[in-house]
Amino acid sequence: MSGALLELEKVSKRFGGIEAVGDVSFSVAPGEIVGLIGPNGAGKTTLFNLISGLQKLSSGEVRFRGERISGRRPDQICRAGIGRTFQTTSLIAGMSAYDNVLLAARFRPKGGDAHAETRRALELCELGDRGAALTEQLTVSEQKRVEIARAVATGPQLIMTDEVVAGLNGTETDEVLAILRRVAAEGISLVFVEHDMRAVMALSQRLIVLARGRLLAEGPPAEVARRPDVISVYLGHRYAARH
Amino acid sequence: MSDRLALWLRRRPVLSRLLLILAFALLLALLPALVNSYWERLLVFVFVNIALASAWNLIGGVAGYPSFGHGVFFGLGAYTAAIVMVRWEMGLLAALLAGGLMAGLFALLFIPILRQRGFYFALSTLAAMLAVQTGLREWRFTRGMAEWDLGWTLPDVGSLHFYYYLMLGLLGGTLVAIVLTIHSKIGHALHAIHKDEVVAASVGIPCTRYKAIAFVISAAIPGVIGAAYAPFLTYISVDNVFDLAITLNMILIAIFGGIGTVVGPIVGGIALTVIDQIAWANFLDYHRLIFGLLIVLVITFRPGGVVSWFRRRPSKAPAPAALPARKQEALP
């Protein structure tokens, strides 16, 4: 065992003749915050779906805490310690924010007081006073925070967030980033997909760049952002000139 | 004082619902002293209809898996009771237990079908019912005691009063079981599975296990009801206890009253039976037309059923979220 929390080894996913993800390998250390970027269609969300078991790998292997998890069901992977959020809102309609988070707390493998865990997760995401609000009554920013709270309530060691600040204004983005830092401070590793480069550079300790389903670059954010190939396929020359 | 009591009850939804069931059961227990045997018999059918629709509602309404062959469990319960009481000469209590057990165990065979959704699941359950019908018709052991029998004549074990209280008791037990299930961890999981199975699985819910639990509960109840219904009818055959109309009634009652709610099948069961009786008595030639038209009207204009007329609307939200809803995907 290498000591890595999450390890991907030559992970590939093909849809018919189209390769969505090809031979991607990387690892995430315990407590690490990793940003995953790439242009639309690069395979970021597909990669999340492969890790969380929502889609089956065509080849390769995913290991979590040294154990192979590829091939397991999504609920088993969640209970193994991987929580996630979705690109578009995934809160259960008709349920309150509290019940959405309680749902995850009730099924976490650690057991314990699910209600206490729900309150703690909501407090962590600054939603202590919004528990009673129905999903439909929450603002976009609140919905995103409930999703993070729900992922926290599963009792994870790793959370994957998929464009969690998309559609938020600057202040709301900063609030969510602060929440994610608090989550990470609890020892939970983060892998986050984001297009907002300000958020990516502010949060990530390491950056992974995907392009056309393949790993293009990996390393410290400042270093990766200066790489000509990354600038060419994703960031653009205007971003490079500014930073 | 009444305000404080109302608040106390509102904070205890399970207890308040159970108290409500108990109050109605006590009220209904007094009715046989006030009504004639026609109404008493009618109420037995109402109790049966409500119990069956409530059981169907757990898997079809709460979990979102509409079974179109649920009558199979009612029929299996009735047939099991007939075999237990006639072939093995055992009592009604043994028949009720055996009926529930048989239906519950048979439901376990449906677990692979629970991986399907919507239309495919509905058709699979319907096909399973047709297969069981054929099996029971052809198997000598289940056709009756004599060589030429095509059904079972059961012993008359009680008066109309007895069956009234038996069905009332079984209905009360059914509603208590449904309320406790819906307000438990199982109900929470089923609600999530209904709304978005992908998300449910992603937060750690073993979806197939919880669907199986709901399916077994929703099958065992019709099994027990069918076992009680068989000696009430005194003669059963595939034609009367596996009738497709039994399944359709379960579905229509739940939808008419309010699918996915505890009170919906109760309202639907009472309303449809009353409408049915009025139509029979006054417009015999147009009975089916009136009945069908009413159902179509309610489903078209009130998809939430009759109870949605009385449900409180949520207060005006500050600014509803503008994010697109996630598309329901199938799990691998």
Side-chain angles (χ1 to χ4, degrees), chain A:
Chain A
M1 196 174 146
S2 63
L5 185 66
L6 176 74
E7 293 167 281
L8 274 70
E9 195 179 310
K10 293 192 169 182
V11 166
S12 296
K13 177 67 183 176
R14 282 178 290 278
F15 297 102
I18 298 166
E19 187 183 66
V21 174
D23 283 338
V24 171
S25 301
F26 66 83
S27 62
V28 177
E32 195 180 14
I33 305 175
V34 177
L36 185 60
I37 62 168
N40 286 330
K44 307 180 294 294
T45 299
T46 304
L47 200 59
F48 270 18
N49 288 342
L50 295 173
I51 296 169
S52 58
L54 289 178
Q55 289 174 338
K56 285 183 179 165
L57 278 71
S58 299
S59 62
E61 189 172 286
V62 179
R63 289 187 295 273
F64 187 67
R65 291 189 296 173
E67 273 183 43
R68 182 191 160 100
I69 58 164
S70 35
R72 289 195 196 172
R73 295 193 313 263
D75 61 287
Q76 291 173 323
I77 291 172
C78 175
R79 289 160 75 85
I82 300 180
R84 70 166 291 179
T85 70
F86 289 87
Q87 197 173 358
T88 50
T89 185
S90 71
L91 298 179
I92 306 292
M95 267 190 204
S96 64
Y98 186 91
D99 280 344
N100 264 283
V101 180
L102 178 66
L103 185 68
R106 273 181 150 169
F107 289 91
R108 62 198 223 123
K110 286 178 187 169
D113 184 347
H115 289 278
E117 180 56 28
T118 300
R119 285 192 292 272
R120 193 190 73 81
L122 284 170
E123 289 290 340
L124 186 74
C125 297
E126 295 171 6
L127 288 162
D129 57 341
R130 295 293 284 151
L134 292 175
T135 303
E136 297 81 0
Q137 295 171 323
L138 297 170
T139 63
V140 175
S141 167
E142 287 171 336
Q143 287 190 9
K144 301 271 191 180
R145 284 186 277 150
V146 175
E147 282 214 58
I148 298 170
R150 191 172 64 187
V152 169
T154 61
Q157 286 164 292
L158 170 80
I159 291 180
M160 303 188 295
T161 65
D162 198 349
E163 296 191 26
V164 77
V165 299
L168 305 187
N169 64 33
T171 313
E172 289 167 341
T173 298
D174 289 340
E175 283 168 3
V176 169
L177 292 181
I179 287 165
L180 288 176
R181 280 194 197 94
R182 278 206 295 276
V183 170
E186 294 198 342
I188 298 170
S189 301
L190 293 177
V191 179
F192 68 100
V193 164
E194 210 52 70
H195 283 297
D196 182 336
M197 281 311 291
R198 186 177 70 89
V200 171
M201 300 308 278
L203 193 62
S204 53
Q205 295 166 346
R206 187 156 59 94
L207 209 53
I208 293 170
V209 187
L210 286 183
R212 290 179 186 160
R214 299 211 163 235
L215 200 144
L216 179 70
E218 184 183 359
E223 203 175 286
V224 169
R226 279 198 298 272
R227 280 180 54 159
D229 49 354
V230 174
I231 292 167
S232 169
V233 302
Y234 184 59
L235 297 175
H237 293 283
R238 208 181 292 170
Y239 176 88
R242 272 208 315 268
H243 296 84

Side-chain angles (χ1 to χ4, degrees), chain B:
Chain B
M1 181 62 194
S2 62
D3 283 353
R4 283 174 63 184
L5 180 67
L7 185 68
W8 189 83
L9 285 172
R10 216 171 20 244
R11 285 181 180 163
R12 291 161 182 81
V14 179
L15 184 66
S16 59
R17 279 164 178 79
L18 293 180
L19 287 174
L20 207 64
I21 291 168
L22 184 68
F24 271 112
L26 289 174
L27 207 66
L28 287 165
L30 300 172
L31 266 186
L34 307 170
V35 298
N36 61 27
S37 61
Y38 167 79
W39 285 102
E40 198 175 341
R41 195 175 175 79
L42 187 68
L43 281 166
V44 171
F45 289 118
V46 173
F47 297 160
V48 168
N49 281 337
I50 294 173
L52 292 179
S54 297
W56 180 87
N57 192 38
L58 185 65
I59 189 73
V62 180
Y65 274 73
S67 162
F68 271 46
H70 230 58
V72 73
F73 304 112
F74 176 80
L76 272 179
Y79 260 70
T80 305
I83 291 167
V84 166
M85 293 176 78
V86 180
R87 196 181 282 283
W88 296 334
E89 296 176 351
M90 292 166 83
L92 181 63
L93 186 63
L96 295 180
L97 292 173
L101 194 67
M102 173 59 84
L105 288 175
F106 189 73
L108 291 174
L109 299 178
F110 283 71
I111 290 176
I113 295 176
L114 285 166
R115 293 186 191 281
Q116 302 168 1
R117 279 197 76 89
F119 185 61
Y120 299 99
F121 175 75
L123 271 187
S124 297
T125 51
L126 180 61
M129 185 169 85
L130 298 176
V132 171
Q133 280 182 0
T134 309
L136 292 176
R137 268 206 187 98
E138 299 301 322
W139 192 18
R140 183 64 211 90
F141 180 77
T142 55
R143 277 173 52 191
M145 294 297 279
E147 189 71 34
W148 56 84
D149 275 351
L150 290 173
W152 294 86
T153 304
L154 286 98
D156 192 1
V157 293
S159 63
L160 181 57
H161 269 14
F162 170 77
Y163 283 107
Y164 180 90
Y165 288 111
L166 175 65
M167 292 303 183
L168 179 61
L170 291 178
L171 172 60
T174 298
L175 293 178
V176 167
I178 298 288
V179 167
L180 292 177
T181 306
I182 286 180
H183 286 90
S184 70
K185 185 176 169 179
I186 300 171
H188 204 171
L190 295 178
H191 188 60
I193 288 168
H194 184 179
K195 295 288 183 179
D196 195 328
E197 198 162 333
V198 170
V199 170
S202 299
V203 298
I205 298 173
C207 295
T208 305
R209 187 192 305 166
Y210 280 89
K211 285 185 287 185
I213 291 170
F215 199 66
V216 168
I217 295 171
S218 81
I221 292 169
V224 176
I225 302 292
Y229 196 70
F232 176 65
L233 280 186
T234 65
Y235 177 78
I236 63 153
S237 68
V238 167
D239 291 332
N240 64 0
V241 292
F242 282 91
D243 191 349
L244 190 61
I246 294 170
T247 304
L248 285 177
N249 265 343
M250 295 184 198
I251 300 169
L252 288 176
I253 287 170
I255 293 175
F256 190 86
I259 195 166
T261 65
V262 175
V263 79
I266 302 173
V267 172
I270 296 168
L272 285 187
T273 311
V274 169
I275 291 165
D276 191 42
Q277 288 301 309
I278 293 171
W280 261 114
N282 300 293
F283 313 99
L284 187 59
D285 292 342
Y286 301 101
H287 160 255
R288 280 188 181 273
L289 178 78
I290 294 167
F291 196 69
L293 201 65
L294 261 172
I295 289 168
V296 170
L297 283 174
V298 168
I299 292 172
T300 306
F301 296 106
R302 279 280 158 180
V306 174
V307 294
S308 65
W309 263 304
F310 305 100
R311 198 177 289 159
R312 258 182 304 171
R313 287 194 178 87
S315 56
K316 293 270 179 194
L323 286 179
R326 267 170 37 76
K327 225 173 83 184
Q328 179 75 283
E329 296 162 55
L331 287 174

